[in-house]
Amino acid sequence: MGVSVVLETVLGSTGSSINALSAAVDTGCFAYCAGSIVVLTDVNSLTQRFFYANPDALPAQITPSYYNPATPTKATGNRALAHTPYKENSLSSIALCDSSVDYPGKSKLSHRPRSVTSVALSPCGKYLAVGEVGHHPRILLFSTALSASADGPVACLTEHTFGVQAIAFSADSRWLCSLGDTHDGGLFLWSINQRTGALKLDSSNRCTTANTIVWMGTNVITVGTRHVKVWRFEQPVSTTKYRRGLDSASDSAHASPVPRTFTGRNVLLGALKDAVFTCAVAIRDDAAVLCTQDGAVCLLDDAHRSQRLFQVTKRECSIASITLDPFSKVVWLGGKGGEPEALPLSSFFAVRDPSTSSEQLKNLDLNSEQKGTDCPGIYALCYADKRLVSADSRSISLYGATSFIGRGTVLA
């Protein structure tokens, strides 16, 4: 008689960057990476669901690759040739492995699950996107419906040659943008069919110096080492009724099989030309807040496509993560040396006001409780159903609107 192993709870996270944590603001769920598993947690009930990057899973929707039409078998094995029977939360071949290690497809390791290092929840809460590490990685699109398979993805993308650095959904959940790591350099824009979950490559370009991506209205921002760039694309206007256009988004988005060029323009950095930008969050359709490794907090003002960058304030410690609280109208900053810090949105809009003096901005205080420098640094923040979620090397913390709620052990 065989032994059945069922996954009940995950204690731990292999995430180490802002791209390893994501949330859907209105659904009350957040997701994070744990080896080859993505954990989807409800902030109210604290229940967990697990999505598994099965190396042999056959997706429901086939997405042909334009740049990699024939993926070498040495790197992927028989990854998409056979679909293993689905058993909910099965642990027969799940490995909580180190996210920094790649397992190339050689002999016994050809079917070994890969680590996932990037995750994104669609704002509507319907889809979960997962990015793998290593050579010829996949981006897996899962349905979060309770009746959906946890190891059988809706769609599978194989356009990247090396690891997937970051993935992000647009605000209307109709577009998915993916960024490869430094060695990959691919920036891809995919349209999503809202009825079937099928994806289609719409636009592409190269971007080798960015470490994360964020949507600002209908535009995409990439930030990284001495790098801030705004990427723009013209969304197609369907002549059909809205509902029909919603269901056929991927069909009407781009009729040609050849991807369009994803056009972008660099932001003039001025005095921040040597800065390492670590994170960003959109606060309006034409404005975003950017942070740097040395603690600078900046406003990117894109009114009338101006792409102007202002430094609003600076904290003493490095900033690694940022998220928006749309209810309290603040942005939360996370980094080394303390709890998350709140900065009111009004301080950023004051930058646009010519009557605001530079001295007023210089004296702006952050709402924080600093701890010692030995405290673990917060590498990711997200916001779900009026709950702030932070992740560091020791714990995942859950905060309410005004106070700390709970803390769960991450590294035992």
Side-chain angles (χ1 to χ4, degrees):
M1 180 181 294
V3 177
S4 177
V5 180
V6 178
L7 179 61
E8 294 288 347
T9 305
V10 170
L11 298 178
S13 171
T14 53
S16 59
S17 75
I18 190 174
N19 305 314
L21 179 70
S22 180
V25 174
D26 297 328
T27 63
C29 293
F30 68 93
Y32 61 93
C33 303
S36 59
I37 301 171
V38 171
V39 183
L40 183 65
T41 304
D42 186 288
V43 296
N44 296 305
S45 63
L46 298 183
T47 55
Q48 292 182 333
R49 295 175 60 198
F50 314 108
F51 294 83
Y52 167 43
N54 188 338
D56 294 317
L58 185 65
Q61 301 291 333
I62 304 298
T63 305
S65 174
Y66 180 81
Y67 294 102
N68 297 315
T71 304
T73 56
K74 283 188 177 181
T76 59
N78 277 340
R79 157 171 298 177
L81 298 181
H83 176 53
T84 54
Y86 166 65
K87 291 185 179 180
E88 186 173 1
N89 296 342
S90 173
L91 271 180
S92 58
S93 60
I94 291 178
L96 289 176
C97 44
D98 186 357
S99 63
S100 63
V101 179
D102 175 32
Y103 299 96
K106 294 183 179 180
S107 62
K108 295 181 180 180
L109 295 181
S110 61
H111 296 276
R112 185 165 182 173
R114 295 195 183 193
S115 296
V116 294
T117 54
S118 53
V119 63
L121 265 174
S122 62
C124 66
K126 185 178 179 180
Y127 295 114
L128 172 69
V130 178
E132 290 182 333
V133 70
H135 192 237
H136 286 291
R138 301 172 301 168
I139 296 177
L140 304 174
L141 185 70
F142 292 95
S143 170
T144 59
L146 295 177
S147 58
S149 170
D151 68 346
V154 174
C156 176
L157 308 176
T158 58
E159 214 64 72
H160 290 280
T161 304
F162 297 98
V164 179
Q165 179 91 328
I167 42 184
F169 286 94
S170 62
D172 60 4
S173 302
R174 297 181 63 186
W175 301 89
L176 177 69
C177 188
S178 65
L179 173 70
D181 65 12
T182 303
H183 301 289
D184 181 274
L187 180 68
F188 299 111
L189 181 67
W190 312 83
S191 61
I192 307 174
N193 187 307
Q194 296 296 289
R195 180 170 52 86
T196 65
L199 292 100
K200 184 175 182 179
L201 182 60
D202 181 274
S203 309
S204 66
N205 210 321
R206 298 281 295 174
C207 183
T208 59
T209 57
N211 54 44
T212 192
I213 52 179
V214 64
W215 284 83
M216 180 180 65
T218 58
N219 305 314
V220 173
I221 304 173
T222 56
V223 299
T225 304
R226 298 184 292 276
H227 170 89
V228 177
K229 195 167 187 174
V230 179
W231 303 82
R232 307 181 190 277
F233 76 105
E234 299 299 329
Q235 295 198 44
V237 179
S238 175
T239 57
T240 59
K241 292 183 179 180
Y242 173 76
R243 183 62 197 174
R244 183 180 174 184
L246 183 66
D247 290 342
S248 305
S250 64
D251 297 329
S252 62
H254 181 47
S256 172
V258 180
R260 297 183 293 180
T261 299
F262 203 176
T263 58
R265 184 160 65 97
N266 289 314
V267 174
L268 297 178
L269 303 181
L272 297 169
K273 63 182 185 301
D274 294 323
V276 178
F277 291 87
T278 56
C279 54
V281 66
I283 57 175
R284 284 176 40 169
D285 287 346
D286 62 354
V289 179
L290 284 58
C291 301
T292 69
Q293 197 174 61
D294 62 356
V297 182
C298 308
L299 172 71
L300 175 60
D301 182 4
D302 194 42
H304 309 293
R305 298 193 173 190
S306 57
Q307 295 191 188
R308 297 181 301 167
L309 188 67
F310 304 91
Q311 180 173 326
V312 178
T313 186
K314 191 171 183 178
R315 74 186 287 251
E316 296 180 359
C317 299
S318 172
I319 302 174
S321 56
I322 186 172
T323 193
L324 172 67
D325 177 353
F327 303 100
S328 302
K329 299 187 184 308
V330 299
V331 292
W332 289 93
L333 312 176
K336 295 181 180 179
E339 297 289 342
E341 306 174 5
L343 190 61
L345 290 181
S346 57
S347 60
F348 297 99
F349 298 131
V351 174
R352 291 180 170 181
D353 186 357
S355 63
T356 304
S357 67
S358 59
E359 192 65 28
Q360 286 176 292
L361 296 176
K362 186 184 299 185
N363 295 329
L364 183 65
D365 292 327
L366 298 178
N367 179 18
S368 65
E369 296 181 7
Q370 292 293 330
K371 295 183 178 180
T373 57
D374 59 337
C375 295
I378 297 173
Y379 66 78
L381 289 169
C382 64
Y383 205 82
D385 193 23
K386 299 184 180 181
R387 300 286 193 275
L388 177 67
V389 183
S390 70
D392 58 44
S393 60
R394 299 179 186 174
S395 62
I396 292 181
S397 303
L398 185 62
Y399 299 80
T402 57
S403 62
F404 173 82
I405 292 181
R407 184 180 297 269
T409 301
V410 170
L411 298 177

